[in-house]
Amino acid sequence: AQSVTQLDSQVPVFEEAPVELRCNYSSSVSVYLFWYVQYPNQGLQLLLKYLSGSTLVKGINGFEAEFNKSQTSFHLRKPSVHISDTAEYFCAVSESSARQLTFGSGTQLTVLP
Amino acid sequence: ETGVTQTPRHLVMGMTNKKSLKCEQHLGHNAMYWYKQSAKKPLELMFVYNFKEQTENNSVPSRFSPECPNSSHLFLHLHTLQPEDSALYLCASSQDWGTSGKQETQYFGPGTRLLVL
């Protein structure tokens, strides 16, 4: 069965600093991986996704993530964050043979001035 | 503009009330979903409809009753809820559900914040 672990529930970082939000998954088969962002009082918005091909995936708002099969990780990175990046970030996984998305419990990113 | 709208955005109800949540998608998708988002917990998939047919029910209590009259509209009827049902209820849609070897991207609405007193 697939599962997702987001190792940090809260990540505070200063504006213009780099950030990495960690995501590890558990699955014995091929997977699809997603990062979603949820701004306050809003629904989830897709940041980026890995389906196949290049392991480095670029998304919106300057975010990117790297799929590492050997470490079963899909960490999200941004080289320089802005105040407007303050939000909750969710990692999600779906096995290629499954149809459901399994979400992690989320990481609250707070960008400080 | 996400293309998925939900009403109402906020709802307060007593345990004996009956209310309905509405979701509408303007994306031409065939699959629609209800999720429950509780504080500090992962999103929980509740129901999936594909081409108006319910394809998934993840052991949701019968006090939650979904309805999908067409591919663009999805309702969640609520009755005799409990305080622990207070949460953000999110609707999502995708082009299809369960196409072999292909994971469709899900697009989410803003959610309905529900408080059960």
Side-chain angles (χ1 to χ4, degrees):
Chain A
Q2 59 197 31
S3 66
V4 180
T5 302
Q6 291 185 243
L7 298 164
D8 306 298
S9 61
Q10 300 205 27
V11 173
V13 63
F14 287 107
E15 193 174 16
E16 298 184 8
V19 71
E20 178 180 84
L21 305 183
R22 296 181 291 171
C23 172
N24 286 86
Y25 67 91
S26 174
S27 174
S28 58
V29 298
S30 298
V31 295
Y32 302 122
L33 295 154
F34 303 79
W35 275 100
Y36 282 86
V37 59
Q38 186 177 32
Y39 298 104
N41 301 314
Q42 295 187 30
L44 276 69
Q45 179 183 359
L46 182 68
L47 267 181
L48 49 81
K49 60 184 176 183
Y50 170 80
L51 302 181
S52 64
S54 173
T55 57
L56 183 62
V57 181
K58 293 189 182 298
I60 62 172
N61 302 339
F63 284 93
E64 64 180 31
E66 186 158 19
F67 170 53
N68 188 320
K69 187 175 181 179
S70 62
Q71 297 187 6
T72 61
S73 68
F74 191 56
H75 301 332
L76 181 70
R77 302 186 183 98
K78 186 170 182 178
S80 175
V81 294
H82 303 290
I83 296 287
S84 59
D85 292 323
T86 294
E88 188 143 25
Y89 292 79
F90 293 92
C91 181
V93 64
S94 174
E95 293 178 342
S96 57
S97 59
R99 296 179 294 180
Q100 289 192 21
L101 276 180
T102 298
F103 286 85
S105 54
T107 296
Q108 174 65 44
L109 173 65
T110 301
V111 180
L112 306 167
Chain B
E1 181 69 50
T2 64
V4 181
T5 59
Q6 291 186 244
T7 55
R9 293 294 308 277
H10 301 272
L11 180 61
V12 180
M13 60 186 289
M15 290 189 285
T16 59
N17 292 157
K18 288 185 180 182
K19 297 287 184 182
S20 295
L21 310 185
K22 179 183 176 182
C23 175
E24 183 173 1
Q25 58 96 359
H26 313 276
L27 302 169
H29 290 165
N30 298 311
M32 297 186 76
Y33 313 74
W34 279 118
Y35 286 89
K36 178 183 178 182
Q37 185 179 26
S38 304
K40 304 304 180 186
K41 292 177 66 176
L43 269 73
E44 302 171 54
L45 179 64
M46 301 174 72
F47 302 103
V48 181
Y49 277 81
N50 195 39
F51 290 95
K52 302 184 295 180
E53 300 295 323
Q54 187 181 127
T55 58
E56 297 289 329
N57 177 339
N58 280 357
S59 303
V60 180
S62 59
R63 58 185 183 270
F64 294 91
S65 175
E67 178 190 359
C68 188
N70 55 62
S71 293
S72 300
H73 294 85
L74 185 65
F75 295 90
L76 188 63
H77 304 300
L78 316 171
H79 66 97
T80 60
L81 294 192
Q82 304 298 311
E84 60 264 30
D85 296 322
S86 299
L88 181 69
Y89 288 86
L90 291 165
C91 174
S93 72
S94 66
Q95 185 61 52
D96 287 297
W97 163 255
T99 305
S100 178
K102 185 179 181 183
Q103 176 62 56
E104 300 287 352
T105 299
Q106 294 182 25
Y107 296 84
F108 286 80
T112 295
R113 175 81 54 193
L114 174 66
L115 177 61
V116 181
L117 301 176

